[in-house]
């Protein structure tokens, strides 16, 4: 159900949580942190500016007969985030939609890939994931941004062992082996033209979202950005995940370079990270 027919609906998700809970997660900064974007030094200021300072609240009793009001956050640029209740035989659910101005209202058409659209899609899925699988848990994130997608025959996702996710339907399981020999398994959480979300098995079931911007940039073949959302991880576990993440994506590790990893480091990873029946190490 489109709440704003004069705008482009970017994403609509049904969330297994009541509307008051979902609304609180788009109004309270500490809860917004559990799903919006990714964490960097400016995330708290960005959340306060976007959701507290800049957003205008609108409420309608249009759907009061269905269990509650329709509530929206509206921004000056025309973006509208809307939450309303959706009572089903399975219990109280909610629907969250994000809509934006149509491209015709912009002076310049930004092309097929829109960074803001993709960020809202990912954030909405991260909210659904946080509320349905990790309610109340604090989130910590890792990000590998703007990586060269690679030429035909040498695609980055193939090189890091993610070729197995192609064509896997939403809700279905996949398993693949990464270049370092570790197994990776998960369930496809969502899929759009430019991104895929994976509910990874092991290590408290984090969410991995991979975004592929096919627009060439200088000599690149498009760009890949990966964001990992972990929940309820302590410092030791998160540090170990960070070391493994850096080696996987070929990044500089927070404390050591990938080449400096010792057998003791690998043993530490295996000690603090959970493993599934498929021996999946996240």
């Amino acid at each position: 159900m489109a709440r704003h027919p004069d705008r482009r609906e970017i994403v609509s998700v049904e969330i297994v949580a009541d509307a008051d809970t979902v609304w609180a997660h788009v109004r309270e900064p500490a809860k917004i942190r559990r799903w919006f974007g990714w964490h960097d030094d400016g995330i708290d200021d960005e959340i306060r500016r976007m959701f507290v300072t800049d957003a205008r609240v609108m409420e309608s009793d249009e759907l009061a007969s269905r269990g509650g009001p329709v509530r929206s956050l509206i921004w000056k640029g025309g973006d509208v985030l809307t939450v309303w209740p959706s009572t089903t035989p399975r219990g109280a659910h909610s629907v969250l939609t994000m809509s934006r101005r149509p491209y015709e209202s912009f002076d310049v058409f930004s092309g097929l890939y829109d960074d803001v659209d993709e960020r809202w899609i990912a954030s909405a899925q991260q909210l659904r994931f946080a509320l349905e699988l990790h309610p109340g848990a604090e989130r910590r994130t890792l990000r590998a941004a703007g990586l060269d997608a690679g030429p035909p025959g040498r695609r980055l996702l193939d090189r890091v062992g993610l070729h197995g996710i192609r064509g896997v339907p939403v809700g279905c399981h996949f398993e693949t082996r990464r270049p370092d020999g570790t197994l990776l398994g998960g369930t496809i959480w969502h899929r759009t033209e430019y991104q895929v979300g994976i509910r990874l098995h092991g290590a408290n079931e984090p969410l991995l979202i991979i975004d592929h911007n096919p627009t060439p940039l200088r000599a690149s073949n498009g760009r890949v950005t990966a964001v990992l959302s972990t929940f309820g991880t302590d410092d030791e576990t998160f540090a170990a995940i960070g070391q493994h993440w850096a080696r996987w994506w070929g990044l500089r590790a927070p404390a050591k370079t990938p080449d400096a990893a010792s057998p003791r480091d690998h043993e530490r990873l295996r000690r603090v990270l959970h493993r599934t029946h498929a021996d999946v190490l996240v």
Side-chain angles (χ1 to χ4, degrees), residues 7-101:
R7 296 179 174 88
R8 296 181 298 121
E9 184 174 276
I10 304 305
V11 61
S12 177
V13 293
E14 183 172 344
I15 302 173
V16 184
D18 63 82
D20 287 340
T21 297
V22 175
W23 185 246
H25 278 75
V26 303
R27 298 300 296 139
E28 300 176 23
K31 293 178 179 178
I32 295 169
R33 218 176 185 278
R34 297 173 185 169
W35 62 271
F36 180 69
W38 55 87
H39 296 169
D40 55 25
D41 291 342
I43 184 63
D44 293 319
D45 290 340
E46 182 181 8
I47 286 173
R48 187 161 296 279
R49 174 180 56 79
M50 281 192 62
F51 291 90
V52 178
T53 304
D54 293 350
R56 176 169 61 91
V57 176
M58 184 176 73
E59 184 170 320
S60 167
D61 61 358
E62 179 182 353
L63 294 181
S65 61
R66 299 193 181 188
V70 176
R71 290 173 281 197
S72 299
L73 294 178
I74 303 174
W75 287 271
K76 290 181 180 179
D79 293 0
V80 180
L81 184 153
T82 301
V83 177
W84 71 86
S86 174
T87 302
T88 71
R90 295 168 292 168
H93 291 195
S94 305
V95 175
L96 179 144
T97 65
M98 185 68 202
S99 57
R100 306 186 66 214
R101 291 160 56 190

Side-chain angles (χ1 to χ4, degrees), residues 220-275:
S220 80
N221 303 276
R223 288 161 288 163
V224 170
T225 294
V227 175
L228 183 74
S229 294
T230 70
F231 296 86
T233 51
D234 58 34
D235 290 343
E236 183 185 19
T237 301
F238 188 70
I241 293 173
Q243 293 284 339
H244 198 256
W245 174 265
R247 286 195 290 273
W248 185 20
W249 293 99
L251 308 175
R252 178 173 295 179
K256 298 180 180 180
T257 61
D259 292 339
S262 66
R264 184 176 179 181
D265 292 326
H266 290 289
E267 179 58 32
R268 180 170 174 269
L269 279 168
R270 294 182 180 277
R271 187 176 70 253
V272 301
L273 299 180
H274 297 292
R275 305 175 81 174

Side-chain angles (χ1 to χ4, degrees), residues 34-254:
R34 297 173 185 169
W35 62 271
F36 180 69
W38 55 87
H39 296 169
D40 55 25
D41 291 342
I43 184 63
D44 293 319
D45 290 340
E46 182 181 8
I47 286 173
R48 187 161 296 279
R49 174 180 56 79
M50 281 192 62
F51 291 90
V52 178
T53 304
D54 293 350
R56 176 169 61 91
V57 176
M58 184 176 73
E59 184 170 320
S60 167
D61 61 358
E62 179 182 353
L63 294 181
S65 61
R66 299 193 181 188
V70 176
R71 290 173 281 197
S72 299
L73 294 178
I74 303 174
W75 287 271
K76 290 181 180 179
D79 293 0
V80 180
L81 184 153
T82 301
V83 177
W84 71 86
S86 174
T87 302
T88 71
R90 295 168 292 168
H93 291 195
S94 305
V95 175
L96 179 144
T97 65
M98 185 68 202
S99 57
R100 306 186 66 214
R101 291 160 56 190
Y103 282 124
E104 290 76 14
S105 66
F106 288 101
D107 293 334
V108 178
F109 179 64
S110 63
L112 296 177
Y113 180 93
D114 188 306
D115 286 324
V116 177
D117 287 1
E118 298 305 316
R119 184 173 181 180
W120 276 121
I121 292 169
S123 289
Q125 294 294 345
Q126 286 167 176
L127 172 59
R128 181 168 74 95
F129 191 88
L131 285 176
E132 293 187 3
L133 272 69
H134 300 284
E138 297 305 323
R139 181 175 70 127
R140 304 173 80 166
T141 68
L142 293 166
R143 182 171 180 251
L147 305 178
D148 191 330
R154 285 284 296 165
R155 296 296 188 189
L156 173 64
L157 295 186
D158 294 342
R159 299 198 309 269
V160 299
L162 288 172
H163 53 278
I165 66 174
R166 290 195 180 97
V168 180
V170 172
C172 291
H173 172 74
F174 80 95
E175 184 177 305
T176 187
R177 190 173 294 277
R178 288 180 284 200
D180 66 356
T182 58
L183 290 176
L184 180 74
T187 302
I188 302 299
W189 181 254
H190 79 282
R191 183 188 293 280
T192 68
E193 185 173 2
Y194 298 118
Q195 65 178 253
V196 60
I198 306 169
R199 173 183 174 179
L200 293 178
H201 298 166
N204 300 321
E205 293 202 311
L207 175 66
L208 173 64
I209 293 183
I210 299 171
D211 175 280
H212 178 212
N213 179 352
T215 307
L217 181 65
R218 296 179 183 157
S220 80
N221 303 276
R223 288 161 288 163
V224 170
T225 294
V227 175
L228 183 74
S229 294
T230 70
F231 296 86
T233 51
D234 58 34
D235 290 343
E236 183 185 19
T237 301
F238 188 70
I241 293 173
Q243 293 284 339
H244 198 256
W245 174 265
R247 286 195 290 273
W248 185 20
W249 293 99
L251 308 175
R252 178 173 295 179

